[in-house]
Amino acid sequence: TQLLEQSPQFLSIQEGENLTVYCNSSSVFSSLQWYRQEPGEGPVLLVTVVTGGEVKKLKRLTFQFGDARKDSSLHITAAQPGDTGLYLCAGPSSGGSNYKLTFGKGTLLTVNP
Amino acid sequence: GAGVSQSPRYKVAKRGQDVALRCDPISGHVSLFWYQQALGQGPEFLTYFQNEAQLDKSGLPSDRFFAERPEGSVSTLKIQRTQQEDSAVYLCASSFRRGLMNTEAFFGQGTRLTVV
């Protein structure tokens, strides 16, 4: 079974600070996705990374896929209260299915004004 | 509607009661997924439909769980004889293509089920 471990589990910071959250596995993934889930809502896709070593930027968010495609990180610059939410990483489950996602437990980020 | 719609948003059921959760996917989306998200956890796969065909139900926790999508659009997740461990948020998602290759899954807001 492929597992995705996310750290830290909880993170509370002040507005304007920078932060990095991590998604690690002992298994190789063909791609990884990052989602943000706000309270009472479903997850919303932020980015998909597919190439080892890939770096993608989305405004103040920078996503990196590890060279070995076993890990990924999300860096947020100058965090804002609107960044508050549960950040989930997910990857295709093993077995060749192209429809089943394995999710990590998430990092719950709180950005205080 | 513009997005995936789930109803009800909240459901409280007495232990042993049957419940039915509805999902209206985005119009024209071929694929439909159900996930279960327990408190403090990430979503876990339950089942996958491609049009009206249920291609994978390996994630359904027990035979008390049943899902259908008879006309390839609206889907219903039914849980019989609910137990306290069934308490969770049930998320539905849909995607335009078959599976998730080169496409995105759009999630609904979920149904929060509490079994008392």
Side-chain angles (χ1 to χ4, degrees):
Chain A
T1 303
Q2 292 178 306
L3 293 176
L4 286 167
E5 296 185 359
Q6 293 192 243
S7 61
Q9 188 175 356
F10 301 98
L11 186 57
S12 180
I13 62 170
Q14 294 300 119
E15 182 176 1
E17 293 182 1
N18 302 331
L19 66 113
T20 302
V21 298
Y22 301 92
C23 174
N24 295 293
S25 177
S26 58
S27 303
V28 175
F29 281 85
S30 58
S31 64
L32 279 179
Q33 297 182 325
W34 284 92
Y35 292 80
R36 179 168 65 217
Q37 185 176 21
E38 297 183 12
E41 302 292 329
V44 175
L45 180 65
L46 297 174
V47 77
T48 301
V49 286
V50 296
T51 305
E54 181 177 6
V55 176
K56 281 191 173 179
K57 293 190 175 183
L58 184 66
K59 296 183 181 179
R60 294 177 293 100
L61 277 60
T62 301
F63 304 85
Q64 187 163 8
F65 200 13
D67 291 342
R69 291 187 286 127
K70 291 183 177 181
D71 55 85
S72 182
S73 64
L74 160 59
H75 181 80
I76 301 179
T77 303
Q80 299 177 0
D83 296 326
T84 293
L86 179 67
Y87 288 81
L88 295 159
C89 66
S93 296
S94 59
S97 76
N98 71 342
Y99 55 82
K100 186 187 300 187
L101 289 175
T102 295
F103 282 85
K105 292 184 178 182
T107 292
L108 185 60
L109 172 65
T110 302
V111 182
N112 302 297
Chain B
V4 177
S5 178
Q6 293 187 245
S7 61
R9 289 291 313 278
Y10 304 93
K11 176 69 178 177
V12 178
K14 290 185 178 179
R15 192 171 56 179
Q17 186 179 355
D18 297 350
V19 298
L21 312 180
R22 178 187 170 103
C23 173
D24 281 84
I26 295 173
S27 178
H29 276 200
V30 168
S31 295
L32 185 144
F33 317 83
W34 283 98
Y35 282 80
Q36 180 191 59
Q37 186 173 23
L39 191 63
Q41 304 292 319
E44 292 193 0
F45 173 84
L46 293 177
T47 187
Y48 166 59
F49 288 87
Q50 190 177 107
N51 296 308
E52 71 278 2
Q54 188 176 22
L55 298 187
D56 188 335
K57 56 181 181 179
S58 63
L60 297 177
S62 76
D63 58 8
R64 296 185 295 104
F65 286 71
F66 172 76
E68 60 182 3
R69 193 186 185 199
E71 297 180 359
S73 177
V74 171
S75 177
T76 304
L77 176 66
K78 297 179 180 178
I79 309 174
Q80 296 178 324
R81 304 181 303 282
T82 52
Q83 304 294 316
Q84 284 190 318
E85 60 263 29
D86 300 334
S87 296
V89 174
Y90 290 85
L91 294 165
C92 176
S94 69
S95 69
F96 180 67
R97 294 195 180 97
R98 298 174 185 175
L100 293 172
M101 292 298 290
N102 301 314
T103 189
E104 175 182 352
F106 294 87
F107 283 82
Q109 294 175 304
T111 294
R112 180 176 295 278
L113 173 65
T114 303
V115 181
V116 298

